Amino acid sequence: MTTTMPAEWTPHERTWMSFPTANDTFGPDGSDTLARARDAWARVARTVALYEPVTLVADPDDEQTARDMLTGATGISLVTAPLDDAWIRDSGPTFVHDVDGSLRAVNWIFNGWGAQSWAAWENDARLAATVAATADIPVDDSPLVGEGGGLHVDGRGTVLLTDSVQLDPDRNPGWTKGQVEEEVHARLGTRHAIWLPRGLTRDYDGFGTRGHVDIVASFTEAGHVLLHRQDNPDHPDYDVTRELRTVLESAVDVNGNPLTIVDLPAPDVLRDEEGWVDYSYINHLVCNNAVILCAFGEKQADERARSILAEAYPGRTVELVDARDIFAFGGGIHCITQQQPAVRNV
């Protein structure tokens, strides 16, 4: 394999999103919950479109609703394809560069985050190929069950993974770490993996993913690692995030250098009506000239996070977008977006 996944902060051609459709996650047609989801997704789409084109995939039954909601929005195009859910980071393709700088699309096997009882994935399992065909990009099928939210690359050869996702017996039964690494490196052009043992507590309840890395840790352009930090000892993630920090403190990058860890503290809220929240500023999107950052209605915490991200990405505008409704359905801004890199001149 000669393909390489570029870091998220490299230039984008566009961002892809899906439009929430009626299901067990969002609720039935006409429900308040589905309306809230669609409003939240539309806010993110409009914000990203200030900086780069957005292509929104809508189920054919929802096409007119999506068009009506985005009336007047510029920079957003709409395509239709059958959908089960709206987490395109996971069901969509992972875009990579070929050796000549052109794009290819990795099509991981998608099985509803480990065949979760509430999930449907017959349509979403085909979405990566559909997106790639729409973009006229060749597809490489992987035998690994996985999702885009389960990995994060630094663009230098290192990838972040989690034990509880990649080695999930409902995803990849019988696979060893070595086998996972071999496949991931072959598809992404990485050479070194850092394994975290798990994700945040809420991610193992309800509509969780069983430990996606993109809600706990991410690389920055400077080569640092942003790490979610929960500072309230009453929250179970207080211990989780300290365990993760210990792992990262003993890890090295592809060149054998220790990691520089930048803590990104959680907001103060601890619970919602479902239990312990997993509100995290890690789950942001880096796009052309901007960072699209989750906000949680806490001015001091939101502004502190904005300041940390502005320092991590100098020269980019940090846009705060209320993500509480997105998190209520099981994810964040990074989970509902997927960047398509620009073709690279070689």
Side-chain angles (χ1 to χ4, degrees), residues 304-322:
R304 176 179 59 198
R306 186 209 294 268
S307 176
I308 293 171
L309 267 296
E311 186 173 349
Y313 292 101
R316 296 179 195 252
T317 302
V318 181
E319 295 274 9
L320 285 165
V321 181
D322 194 317

Side-chain angles (χ1 to χ4, degrees), residues 245-256:
R245 199 178 208 288
T246 298
V247 173
L248 289 173
E249 285 173 344
S250 63
V252 296
D253 66 14
V254 68
N255 296 315

Side-chain angles (χ1 to χ4, degrees), residues 219-232:
F219 291 111
T220 72
E221 192 167 5
H224 301 164
V225 177
L226 294 172
L227 176 64
H228 178 71
R229 190 182 77 201
Q230 173 55 249
D231 285 331
N232 192 310

Side-chain angles (χ1 to χ4, degrees), residues 197-280:
R198 55 162 297 146
L200 300 183
T201 301
R202 177 71 168 262
D203 209 11
Y204 298 86
D205 298 335
F207 299 123
T209 71
R210 300 177 185 158
H212 270 184
V213 75
D214 71 349
I215 200 169
V216 293
S218 63
F219 291 111
T220 72
E221 192 167 5
H224 301 164
V225 177
L226 294 172
L227 176 64
H228 178 71
R229 190 182 77 201
Q230 173 55 249
D231 285 331
N232 192 310
D234 293 332
H235 196 299
D237 286 337
Y238 179 87
D239 291 330
V240 170
T241 55
R242 278 146 187 80
E243 177 188 4
L244 297 178
R245 199 178 208 288
T246 298
V247 173
L248 289 173
E249 285 173 344
S250 63
V252 296
D253 66 14
V254 68
N255 296 315
N257 299 315
L259 305 175
T260 298
I261 303 168
V262 178
D263 290 317
L264 196 50
D268 292 333
V269 64
L270 299 180
R271 302 180 68 94
D272 62 11
E273 61 272 12
E274 299 295 330
W276 300 108
V277 299
D278 56 355
Y279 290 173
S280 170

Side-chain angles (χ1 to χ4, degrees), residues 30 107 109 113 127 131 140 146 172 177 183 264 288 316 346:
N107 179 22
I109 296 173
W113 303 277
L127 183 59
V131 167
D140 296 319
N172 297 302
K177 278 190 176 182
E183 174 63 14
L264 196 50
N288 294 341
R316 296 179 195 252
V346 177

